[in-house]
Amino acid sequence: MLRYHKFKDENGDDVYRVESEGYEILRNSILNKGSAFPLEERKLFNLDGYLPSVASTLETQVARRYEGFTQKTSDLEKYIYLRALQDRNETLFYALLLEHLDEMVPIVYTPTVGLACQMFSHIFRFTRGIFLFPDNIDRVEDIFQSFPDRKNIEMIVVTDSEGILGIGDQGIGGMGIPVGKSSLYVAAAGIHPANCLPVTLDVGTNNEELLNDPLYLGIRRERLSGDEYFDFVDKFVKGVKEKFPNAILQWEDFSKQNAFTLLQRYRNEIPSFNDDIQGTGAVTFAGIIGALKIKGEKLTDQLFAVFGAGAGGIGVARQIRTALIGKGLSKDEAGARIYVLDRMGVVFEGRERVDEYKREFSRSADFARGWSLDNPREVSLLDVARNAGISVLAGFSGVAGSFSEEIVRAMAEKVDRPVIFPLSNPTDKTEATPEDIYRWTDGKAIVSAGSPFTDVHYKGKVYVIGQGNNVYIFPGIGLGAILVGAKIITDEMFTAAGTKLAELVSKDWLDANCVYPPISELRTLCRGVAAEVAETAIEQGVAGKTVAPDMIDELVESRMWVPKYARLTRGSV
Ligand code: NAD
């Protein structure tokens, strides 16, 4: 087996000491430099004759690969092309990605990754990460033990693929998500590619189409459930604690029931978080702060409605409540400022069928006394907009068109500048298009969306539509937590991340009604967010390492990996 070890030289640059030589080095995505192998390293590692005579630079390689990328005619082809490059040469992949973030993040991650998950068993080329299933879960510790560079693993993204994006159960295909998110940890936070580990818990699938697909790569059985499922996850977590003691764990795209249960079960046992719940909460909160800056109003003066009470919606409601409590409100006072709605309308005490994880946002049974309602048994979003005077509305329902003209107009009648965020993805699931919202409110609303939308031109003004993408938050949470060796990830670390992100949106963007910065600024944004997260962990006493607060910025900077080729030396490892 190829053996190597990374260390820093006297200038602080990465160097790999490599025990092997010859062709196999070209097959290792971390060590490979392809045509950019310098001539002296070709000699040193007996690569002579395996490469064209001209040694490229990284810049020429990026130009060559970008040319190839632009020749691909579909987004799925582009995805396959980039993934194949990542499997051959990670340094080149990240150099290319960082140079074209705006264009390539939607390929490497949403929306294209959704299709890549659906097509996983058809487009599978080369393996990445770890697959655990009922037949190997009892050997999980051996599997982890033999993983290359095990002790350096800092970030694990794990899914069981039951709640992939807006497309549900994707069985083993959900692996596209941990792979994509790991890539964003590298691109945005500069965590070293070898230190990120994607994991899929293949506990079966209830997706008939996959079960009947002869090319399907996952186990062909219905999903584990109940105790069997939780025992499986327990074994995984025990293995992580044992074998990856320095890792932060991100739960990703579990079904909403399991997402809440697993977060609660493990958040004090292992440094872990759920991006669908907490990351969504923080990024939406950042957008709300931005909108309030535009309006010149205070958080504590708002009345909120969260439409869609799943992972995202409850995450946002919790985040708003945490922030309101931080502003001096009691938990009850904060909760009273938030209406949470699911497919049966407002969640309230005594209502039929309220899932356990929504109960914390139940309003009192008589909350709508004195309101005029179309149907007293179900209080709809329109009822809330007409009667309560909500000033901030966020949509996580996945129901296209659910922010109707009537609802939006009703909001605008009650408040001067309604904040309306239709955050459901993909584009065809959006609760209302930004253009419609601006038209219906005569340009008074402040809008951001979950999917990318082009600028809206209305009555001579250009409105830029910010995208409430979790990528603004989770890489900074991960990096901040890693830097201080956080023992747990607290809700306040997410509040800090959201608040910092909002601070980093420039005045020019706010002037265009845009509450999120451009994706191309991802690294700079992540630096700020990570530093704030690290500082909050220290303040809250959850840091496992001693770091002087005034050294944090420097530490963040020094820890961010930049894709450039490291020198290779020969030696035993
Ligand atoms: P989820 O399945 O956990 O929750 C969806 C919720 O919507 C469910 O509770 C469901 O009961 C509710 N719902 C369904 N029909 C409804 C209706 N007619 N009226 C009211 N509520 C209804 O999914 P999730 O992870 O919370 O994601 C929901 C949507 O939000 C998806 O489209 C997802 O893409 C989007 N999302 C966006 C971001 C972002 O922009 N940053 C982050 C997370 C989720």
Side-chain angles (χ1 to χ4, degrees):
M1 186 169 141
L2 191 155
R3 285 161 58 87
Y4 58 89
H5 169 69
K6 178 158 71 75
F7 63 96
K8 297 254 181 227
D9 67 9
E10 58 286 359
N11 304 319
D13 291 328
D14 285 342
V15 181
Y16 286 98
R17 184 178 298 119
V18 185
E19 216 171 79
S20 322
E21 61 167 29
Y23 202 75
E24 66 175 328
I25 292 176
L26 299 173
R27 287 285 182 199
N28 181 289
S29 63
I30 296 288
L31 301 179
N32 186 22
K33 304 179 183 183
S35 64
F37 256 111
L39 301 180
E40 58 281 12
E41 285 185 9
R42 296 181 186 200
K43 259 195 216 136
L44 191 62
F45 288 96
N46 282 328
L47 298 174
D48 186 27
Y50 297 150
L51 292 161
S53 59
V54 170
S56 297
T57 61
L58 182 57
E59 292 70 32
T60 11
Q61 285 183 307
V62 167
R64 191 177 291 124
R65 291 285 60 89
Y66 185 62
E67 185 182 280
F69 177 83
T70 56
Q71 284 161 357
K72 298 290 166 198
T73 50
S74 75
D75 287 348
L76 189 64
E77 286 293 323
K78 287 179 180 169
Y79 176 89
I80 294 169
Y81 177 85
L82 290 179
R83 278 285 298 105
L85 175 59
Q86 184 179 23
D87 289 341
R88 287 200 307 277
N89 181 337
E90 308 238 11
T91 309
L92 176 52
F93 167 77
Y94 285 108
L96 178 67
L97 178 58
L98 277 173
E99 205 168 299
H100 301 280
L101 275 176
D102 281 325
E103 194 175 355
M104 293 183 182
V105 166
I107 303 292
V108 170
Y109 203 63
T110 52
T112 308
V113 74
L115 181 57
C117 288
Q118 288 171 310
M119 298 299 294
F120 182 83
S121 297
H122 292 253
I123 63 173
F124 184 85
R125 268 42 174 192
F126 193 71
T127 195
R128 176 164 287 259
I130 289 181
F131 297 88
L132 297 170
F133 37 88
D135 278 352
N136 71 8
I137 191 67
D138 287 324
R139 296 193 300 280
V140 61
E141 291 182 17
D142 295 342
I143 295 168
F144 286 173
Q145 173 74 30
S146 56
F147 196 78
D149 247 353
R150 170 176 69 84
K151 290 204 174 123
N152 287 330
I153 294 296
E154 295 179 308
M155 200 65 230
I156 297 176
V157 184
V158 63
T159 189
D160 76 350
S161 311
E162 193 171 2
I164 296 299
L165 306 171
I167 52 176
D169 184 350
Q170 293 305 317
I172 202 165
M175 183 51 138
I177 299 293
V179 167
K181 284 224 157 152
S182 297
S183 302
L184 295 179
Y185 272 109
V186 181
I191 297 173
H192 192 277
N195 299 2
C196 295
L197 176 63
V199 178
T200 278
L201 308 180
D202 181 6
V203 294
T205 178
N206 298 338
N207 181 332
E208 284 295 320
E209 211 177 305
L210 296 177
L211 290 172
N212 293 326
D213 179 351
L215 297 187
Y216 183 58
L217 282 163
I219 55 164
R220 270 170 219 274
R221 53 154 295 164
E222 66 183 26
R223 284 184 169 274
L224 296 184
S225 60
D227 288 348
E228 264 188 312
Y229 174 82
F230 288 109
D231 285 351
F232 186 102
V233 181
D234 260 347
K235 286 176 187 167
F236 160 71
V237 172
K238 188 164 164 283
V240 170
K241 279 170 70 176
E242 196 69 25
K243 301 296 177 185
F244 300 118
N246 302 316
I248 307 289
L249 180 64
Q250 179 184 324
W251 302 101
E252 183 67 34
D253 283 1
F254 286 72
S255 73
K256 47 186 181 282
Q257 284 83 1
N258 289 335
F260 287 105
T261 308
L262 295 176
L263 176 63
Q264 205 46 40
R265 191 163 169 147
Y266 297 112
R267 67 179 301 181
N268 294 320
E269 194 176 315
I270 183 167
S272 49
F273 67 96
N274 182 303
D275 184 52
D276 308 303
I277 302 172
Q278 297 162 289
T280 304
V283 79
T284 308
F285 175 59
I288 293 171
I289 304 179
L292 296 182
K293 274 193 198 165
I294 297 172
K295 297 210 292 179
E297 291 179 15
K298 291 199 298 203
L299 188 73
T300 44
D301 290 338
Q302 309 305 310
L303 209 47
F304 304 86
V306 178
F307 185 71
I314 295 295
V316 170
R318 284 183 179 173
Q319 178 62 72
I320 293 170
R321 187 179 59 191
T322 303
L324 287 171
I325 293 171
K327 298 274 178 207
L329 270 64
S330 70
K331 193 172 176 190
D332 285 347
E333 286 167 341
R337 306 207 67 79
I338 308 165
Y339 291 86
V340 170
L341 297 96
D342 60 15
R343 64 183 82 223
M344 293 172 67
V346 174
V347 175
F348 63 89
E349 278 166 22
R351 200 195 78 176
E352 263 178 74
R353 295 214 332 261
V354 176
D355 298 298
E356 192 51 44
Y357 59 84
K358 301 175 190 168
R359 264 180 222 284
E360 59 185 287
F361 289 101
S362 289
R363 303 190 75 85
S364 61
D366 61 352
F367 80 98
R369 184 174 295 157
W371 286 15
S372 65
L373 303 174
D374 288 340
N375 168 5
R377 290 159 59 85
E378 235 181 72
V379 185
S380 68
L381 183 58
L382 180 60
D383 292 326
V384 179
R386 275 190 187 142
N387 292 281
I390 41 170
S391 51
V392 179
L393 169 63
F396 293 97
S397 62
V399 182
S402 47
F403 293 176
S404 64
E405 178 168 358
E406 209 180 358
I407 290 169
V408 171
R409 284 191 187 277
M411 257 186 98
E413 253 171 47
K414 290 265 180 183
V415 293
D416 281 346
R417 303 213 58 192
V419 178
I420 304 181
F421 291 176
L423 288 162
S424 285
N425 291 315
T427 318
D428 62 6
K429 295 223 165 118
T430 193
E431 283 87 357
T433 65
E435 183 163 4
D436 279 343
I437 298 174
Y438 277 117
R439 247 181 336 104
W440 297 335
T441 59
D442 198 24
K444 287 191 187 141
I446 299 165
V447 182
S448 79
S451 300
F453 279 91
T454 51
D455 299 349
V456 172
H457 296 255
Y458 181 76
K459 292 197 176 167
K461 186 165 165 146
V462 180
Y463 300 91
V464 178
I465 311 304
Q467 191 195 349
N469 195 325
N470 293 28
V471 74
Y472 291 123
I473 296 290
F474 69 80
I477 292 280
L479 180 59
I482 290 167
L483 290 178
V484 296
K487 288 179 282 189
I488 58 170
I489 317 281
T490 63
D491 291 339
E492 288 73 14
M493 287 157 80
F494 282 92
T495 308
T499 308
K500 185 66 192 181
L501 174 62
E503 239 175 64
L504 293 170
V505 184
S506 70
K507 187 175 173 308
D508 287 352
W509 288 86
L510 292 178
D511 285 346
N513 256 27
C514 182
V515 295
Y516 293 108
I519 292 275
S520 53
E521 291 175 9
L522 211 45
R523 274 232 162 170
T524 312
L525 300 166
C526 188
R527 272 189 199 103
V529 171
E532 207 65 24
V533 168
E535 212 172 306
T536 308
I538 295 170
E539 275 164 24
Q540 291 197 288
V542 298
K545 291 182 191 161
T546 311
V547 179
D550 59 346
M551 293 301 290
I552 289 176
D553 287 337
E554 210 175 296
L555 190 62
V556 170
E557 192 60 43
S558 68
R559 281 296 306 269
M560 278 186 148
W561 177 73
V562 176
K564 59 181 192 182
Y565 288 123
R567 190 160 56 85
L568 305 191
T569 66
R570 284 194 73 158
S572 50
V573 178

